[in-house]
Amino acid sequence: MTAHFLRPLSLILLLFLTAASRPVSAKEKKSSTIKVNYLALAAVLVRDGHFTRALNVLAKVKVPKQTKSRIQYHTLYGIIRIKRREYLEATRHLQLSIRAGQTKPLVYLLLTQSHFRLLQYRQALQALKKDPRKIQNMSSALLLHAQSLWRLRRLKQAYQVLQRGQKQYP
């Protein structure tokens, strides 16, 4: 009984191996080439925490000319560089993404954080002021704001920021 079922299975296996071993023409290879969206792949890798792999993927991408892709490219590079504690490069790429048209508050917060890590407290305060409506009310932004003021010896203003934060986040 078992031999009866093996015969069709072996025939299928033989056909499969024969078809798989035939040479593939150049035309067939070209038509089966898959285009990879490296920016999307890098975004997924960043989201999943694979920063080195995402950096390797982004290295394959030329700086895009389209505004939306350019924004995404520089934003991803900035995020990766911050996660790798490469703050100078992070600052450069985040500034380029903002110049390209990036408007998300998180990017301004990351830029502030990057300036702060580089001990550039005045620039950190300037980055916070670029989008004050949304950033200034985030608890992490309030702390960066107060710490930057404190490092610049503007203690009264730092205390006021902390008081405002305490009212918002009791």
Side-chain angles (χ1 to χ4, degrees):
M1 185 95 168
T2 309
H4 180 68
F5 286 111
L6 288 179
R7 204 172 290 147
L9 185 60
S10 61
L11 183 60
I12 292 171
L13 185 60
L14 182 64
L15 288 172
F16 176 74
L17 290 174
T18 309
S21 64
R22 77 176 177 86
V24 179
S25 69
K27 187 177 182 180
E28 286 177 324
K29 279 185 180 179
K30 192 173 183 180
S31 67
S32 66
T33 304
I34 298 172
K35 287 193 173 186
V36 177
N37 183 342
Y38 288 110
L39 283 177
L41 178 59
V44 170
L45 290 170
V46 167
R47 183 194 68 204
D48 293 344
H50 301 288
F51 304 112
T52 303
R53 289 171 68 188
L55 193 60
N56 291 336
V57 168
L58 279 178
K60 297 176 183 179
V61 178
K62 292 181 184 176
V63 179
K65 293 181 181 179
Q66 296 175 333
T67 302
K68 187 175 180 180
S69 297
R70 189 189 262 327
I71 290 169
Q72 186 180 16
Y73 174 83
H74 288 298
T75 302
L76 286 171
Y77 250 118
I79 291 169
I80 292 167
R81 296 300 187 175
I82 280 199
K83 294 296 185 177
R84 292 172 52 106
R85 300 173 192 259
E86 298 168 357
Y87 300 111
L88 193 58
E89 280 297 305
T91 301
R92 188 174 74 82
H93 282 286
L94 292 170
Q95 287 173 336
L96 287 170
S97 77
I98 290 169
R99 275 189 224 130
Q102 178 64 268
T103 59
K104 293 185 179 176
L106 178 63
V107 174
Y108 288 97
L109 184 61
L110 290 173
L111 180 60
T112 302
Q113 185 180 33
S114 186
H115 280 302
F116 185 84
R117 294 289 183 172
L118 289 169
L119 309 178
Q120 299 172 342
Y121 305 117
R122 282 187 178 80
Q123 291 90 333
L125 291 172
Q126 288 172 353
L128 278 173
K129 291 178 183 177
K130 288 183 180 180
D131 194 10
R133 303 172 315 266
K134 297 176 183 172
I135 293 179
Q136 293 281 332
N137 294 324
M138 295 179 177
S139 60
S140 53
L142 289 168
L143 288 173
L144 280 171
H145 191 178
Q147 287 178 340
S148 294
L149 289 168
W150 178 73
R151 298 286 174 120
L152 292 170
R153 303 286 184 227
R154 294 163 53 184
L155 303 179
K156 185 176 179 181
Q157 290 173 314
Y159 184 70
Q160 290 170 345
V161 170
L162 289 174
Q163 283 181 323
R164 191 176 81 221
Q166 188 176 16
K167 288 178 185 174
Q168 287 180 328
Y169 303 98

